[in-house]
Amino acid sequence: MFKSLVVAPCAALFLLLSPVVALAAEPIVIKFAHVVGDDTPKGKGALLFQKLVRERLAGQVDVEVYPNSTLVGDAEEMQALLDNKVQMLAPSLSKFIEYSPKLEVFDLPFLFDDEAAVARFQKRETSRELLRSMADRGIYGLAYWNNGLKQLSATQPLRNPADAAGLAFRIQPSPVLEAQFAALDAKAVRLPFSEVSKAMQSGTVQGTEGPWSNIRGQSAAGKPSYVTETNHGVLNYMLVANSEFWTSIPFAVRSELENIVLEVTQTVNAEAASINEREREQILASGSTTLVTLTAEQRQAWRAKMQPVWKSFEAQIGSDILRAALTVNRR
């Protein structure tokens, strides 16, 4: 009799708590959305993150990857993150300027000599502080993912700065990039990545900028295409999470996720250069794109034309950040 009196309340308590137990056993779902293909540095990084989380946190965390704007588009992804409709993104750094204007440093033209200089800057304390500069605004910076140096792509050859005058170029939303093309007497048009190919085909824009890994997705099918290898800027992404969501993850799980992020970041940044080189070879081998190689004098002319943009944004970025970026070059 006594045993049954004890068992019955315990059973009842178990039934009462079982929904809570079941709920606690549900995996944490991370929706990771991006706007490019699976075969780009960002796309490969997202899939590697998904794979490693599945291997190491099976049953605890489930990562869903949505490439090519299949969940949210270029223009809506930041608001979707803030609303926690998606939990992770890797937008270009231009997307964060309204939240942290100092990040405009990454859009300045001809600031970094090469990708190695970019990597050195990102290891500086100044750069790590920029990574966390938006946490109190709902955006938790996790890592920098590099996509490579930018080239100019157009429907006509661009050898000298004067060749760009009067043309319309697609840009990401960035006042620095607007100023960059204004310095060339060209027009800057803000467009989502998914609309670039159509805009090139229709003639809405005649050019764009980006690393080789993005050029294929921005080309105008059936139209002549020229790529000027300027290496005039960098396209970097910031891997971010919704701040409230990320900090609510149990510490042990979050620590493992951050270890995975570090591992994936090292792979993404190491492979970005090789992916761009492979894309460069494939695009040129297709016969649909003509490469424009600059002489040293022509490249200096482009640099001289764009470099005054630095002065225009020094106050917003901060002279200390600008100096820190310049010191990583080996000129």
Side-chain angles (χ1 to χ4, degrees):
M1 172 65 75
F2 177 76
K3 183 178 180 181
S4 63
L5 289 174
V6 173
V7 171
C10 288
L13 182 62
F14 176 78
L15 290 173
L16 183 64
L17 293 177
S18 60
V20 178
V21 174
L23 182 62
E26 289 293 316
I28 298 166
V29 176
I30 298 177
K31 294 181 179 179
F32 187 160
H34 63 83
V35 302
V36 295
D38 286 331
D39 57 347
T40 61
K42 185 196 299 188
K44 288 178 178 289
L47 292 176
L48 179 58
F49 178 72
Q50 180 187 54
K51 175 178 179 290
L52 295 182
V53 169
R54 185 182 296 133
E55 291 173 356
R56 300 176 191 176
L57 292 169
Q60 298 180 72
V61 181
D62 183 16
V63 177
E64 300 174 358
V65 176
Y66 298 89
N68 288 312
S69 302
T70 51
L71 183 61
V72 291
D74 208 1
E76 302 86 30
E77 63 177 3
M78 289 304 301
Q79 191 58 52
L81 181 80
L82 294 172
D83 293 340
N84 203 35
K85 293 178 180 177
V86 298
Q87 289 70 49
M88 290 184 73
L89 298 173
S92 66
L93 292 170
S94 300
K95 290 286 191 71
F96 301 110
I97 289 172
E98 66 176 287
Y99 307 99
S100 181
K102 293 182 177 183
L103 285 166
E104 288 177 321
V105 67
F106 288 99
D107 279 341
L108 291 176
F110 290 104
L111 181 61
F112 299 105
D113 283 350
D114 49 34
E115 292 177 81
V118 178
R120 286 192 292 271
F121 178 62
Q122 290 173 348
K123 293 176 182 177
R124 297 281 179 92
E125 183 60 32
T126 299
S127 197
R128 290 196 291 269
E129 289 173 1
L130 291 175
L131 198 64
R132 294 286 190 266
S133 62
M134 302 172 288
D136 60 351
R137 301 196 63 180
I139 303 168
Y140 195 89
L142 294 167
Y144 293 107
W145 282 8
N146 299 333
N147 199 26
L149 299 174
K150 293 191 291 186
Q151 321 304 335
L152 288 174
S153 177
T155 53
Q156 65 186 59
L158 305 174
R159 294 185 175 85
N160 300 291
D163 296 332
L167 300 183
F169 288 82
R170 178 266 175 175
I171 64 163
Q172 299 181 75
S174 164
V176 173
L177 299 182
E178 288 179 346
Q180 170 185 287
F181 284 104
L184 298 174
D185 299 316
K187 179 182 179 182
V189 180
R190 296 186 178 196
L191 283 175
F193 183 84
S194 59
E195 297 178 16
V196 178
S197 181
K198 183 179 178 181
M200 291 283 285
Q201 291 176 21
S202 67
T204 302
V205 298
Q206 295 81 49
T208 185
E209 63 169 6
W212 284 100
S213 61
N214 284 10
I215 288 174
R216 189 195 303 271
Q218 295 177 319
S219 62
K223 286 193 173 184
S225 177
Y226 299 85
V227 177
T228 303
E229 206 159 27
T230 50
N231 293 325
H232 65 279
V234 296
L235 179 58
N236 292 334
Y237 304 122
M238 187 186 289
L239 182 66
V240 296
N242 175 285
S243 290
E244 186 176 354
F245 166 81
W246 193 260
T247 55
S248 71
I249 297 173
F251 178 77
V253 175
R254 188 167 74 248
S255 295
E256 182 59 29
L257 284 171
E258 290 176 351
N259 288 335
I260 293 172
V261 164
L262 178 60
E263 184 175 337
V264 172
T265 298
Q266 292 171 341
T267 300
V268 169
N269 292 345
E271 290 186 353
S274 61
I275 291 173
N276 278 300
E277 185 59 32
R278 184 171 67 248
E279 282 293 312
R280 178 184 185 276
E281 293 174 1
Q282 291 178 352
I283 290 170
L284 297 179
S286 70
S288 60
T289 299
T290 302
L291 177 66
V292 177
T293 302
L294 301 177
T295 65
E297 292 76 14
Q298 288 171 331
R299 179 175 167 76
Q300 181 54 38
W302 285 95
R303 181 193 292 274
K305 195 72 172 175
M306 291 184 180
Q307 198 166 346
V309 175
W310 295 8
K311 192 66 177 176
S312 302
F313 290 89
E314 183 175 358
Q316 292 168 236
I317 295 169
S319 56
D320 56 332
I321 294 175
L322 188 55
R323 283 196 301 271
L326 286 170
T327 58
V328 300
N329 292 316
R330 294 173 176 169
R331 293 174 182 167

